């Protein structure tokens, strides 16, 4: 039930764009995105709900294709502060709606 | 408003020792979770609770026990630590999943020698 993320790692120059993908083998109601910096806790970015709109935060946005059971995270005009590991999480209705997390995508933004 | 706090932040145990990790949240959330994070594995669910007095097993519960005697606290116990339990442990809570996000504590880095 663990979602699959791609790519595993990305290196960008400041100002470039990136897309991180998340796919699931089961039908989804929601996809959650988090960013984690080394040695810190995951920080919430956004939730996408079935039937909901694409949601964005500053230059980070995401989409959710319910039929394909996929979500994509778009980082536009990347900043140094975007560096970190990005995780997508899908709800597990059999476990109190805990999240099944992907293995993460490591993003490094260089000057 | 402290959010989610975890105690301790770091701990080193010897094989066979026991310990308890404390998670506390001040947001009045019903749902609480314990995850472990290992390199390259993402976060995996150990145990969870959907309310005071209720707990259930997650994906990797072996070797752990939990209790939720008070709504704001969720305790994770290791009865006899093993090197395989070396990991970073995160507690999280949520108001109304999956409609709302999970808030994570700062984590506990545990090493078992």
């Amino acid at each position: 039930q663990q979602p699959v993320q791609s790519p595993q790692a990305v290196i960008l120059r400041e100002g470039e764009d990136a897309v991180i993908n998340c796919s699931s083998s089961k039908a989804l109601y929601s996809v959650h995105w988090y960013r984690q910096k080394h040695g810190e806790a995951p920080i919430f970015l956004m939730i996408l709900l079935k039937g909901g709109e694409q949601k964005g935060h500053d230059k980070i946005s995401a989409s959710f294709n319910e039929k394909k059971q996929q979500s994509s995270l778009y980082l536009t005009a990347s900043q140094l502060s975007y560096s970190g590991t990005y995780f997508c999480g899908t709800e597990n209705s059999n476990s109190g709606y805990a999240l099944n997390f992907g293995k993460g995508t490591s993003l490094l933004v260089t000057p | 408003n402290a959010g989610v706090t975890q105690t301790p932040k770091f701990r080193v145990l010897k094989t066979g020792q026991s310990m308890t990790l404390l998670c506390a949240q001040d947001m009045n959330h019903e749902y609480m979770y314990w995850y472990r994070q290992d390199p390259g594995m993402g976060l995996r669910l150990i145990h969870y609770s959907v309310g005071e007095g209720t707990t259930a097993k997650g994906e990797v519960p072996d070797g752990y026990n939990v209790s939720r005697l008070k709504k704001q606290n969720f305790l994770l116990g290791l009865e006899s630590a093993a090197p395989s339990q070396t990991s970073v442990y995160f507690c999280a809570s949520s108001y109304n999943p999956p409609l709302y996000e999970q808030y994570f504590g700062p984590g506990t880095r545990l090493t078992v020698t």
Side-chain angles (χ1 to χ4, degrees):
Chain A
Q1 292 188 345
Q2 183 178 38
V4 177
Q5 289 185 232
S6 63
Q8 287 186 317
V10 183
I11 299 177
L12 298 174
R13 289 195 182 273
E14 203 171 3
E16 292 182 336
D17 302 339
V19 180
I20 300 172
N21 300 304
C22 175
S23 64
S24 173
S25 59
K26 68 180 185 75
L28 300 174
Y29 177 76
S30 68
V31 178
H32 300 225
W33 285 97
Y34 288 79
R35 177 171 62 208
Q36 184 179 32
K37 294 187 180 286
H38 184 69
E40 299 181 4
I43 298 297
F44 170 75
L45 293 175
M46 63 188 70
I47 293 176
L48 297 103
L49 302 176
K50 183 178 180 179
E53 298 176 354
Q54 178 175 341
K55 302 190 178 195
H57 175 71
D58 196 10
K59 294 187 176 67
I60 299 176
S61 61
S63 63
F64 181 20
N65 187 323
E66 299 150 20
K67 291 184 178 179
K68 292 186 177 181
Q69 298 157 193
Q70 294 175 344
S71 177
S72 295
L73 188 72
Y74 305 95
L75 299 101
T76 305
S78 59
Q79 307 169 14
L80 296 176
S81 61
Y82 287 3
S83 293
T85 301
Y86 290 77
F87 293 97
C88 69
T90 57
E91 84 278 358
N92 185 338
S93 59
N94 296 321
S95 294
Y97 294 102
L99 294 175
N100 294 318
F101 285 95
K103 292 186 177 181
T105 296
S106 176
L107 178 72
L108 176 64
V109 182
T110 62
Chain B
N1 190 338
V4 180
T5 58
Q6 291 183 233
T7 309
K9 288 186 168 53
F10 302 93
R11 186 73 185 267
V12 178
L13 288 179
K14 295 189 177 185
T15 298
Q17 289 184 321
S18 63
M19 78 165 293
T20 299
L21 284 68
L22 171 64
C23 175
Q25 52 95 3
D26 61 0
M27 297 173 283
N28 203 35
H29 288 171
E30 293 288 349
Y31 294 79
M32 295 188 74
Y33 311 93
W34 276 107
Y35 296 92
R36 61 176 287 174
Q37 185 174 35
D38 303 296
M41 299 290 292
L43 293 98
R44 294 182 292 169
L45 181 68
I46 305 172
H47 285 278
Y48 66 96
S49 170
V50 300
E52 181 179 306
T54 71
T55 63
K57 294 179 180 180
E59 178 188 357
V60 288
D62 293 343
Y64 306 96
N65 56 75
V66 289
S67 65
R68 185 131 180 240
L69 300 179
K70 292 184 178 181
K71 187 177 184 179
Q72 64 267 34
N73 296 335
F74 194 25
L75 279 64
L76 178 70
L78 287 75
E79 292 184 346
S80 179
S84 60
Q85 294 177 303
T86 294
S87 188
V88 180
Y89 293 85
F90 287 103
C91 174
S93 72
S94 182
Y95 166 60
N96 186 18
L99 301 180
Y100 290 83
E101 68 267 36
Q102 292 188 12
Y103 291 82
F104 283 83
T108 295
R109 185 172 295 274
L110 175 67
T111 302
V112 183
T113 61

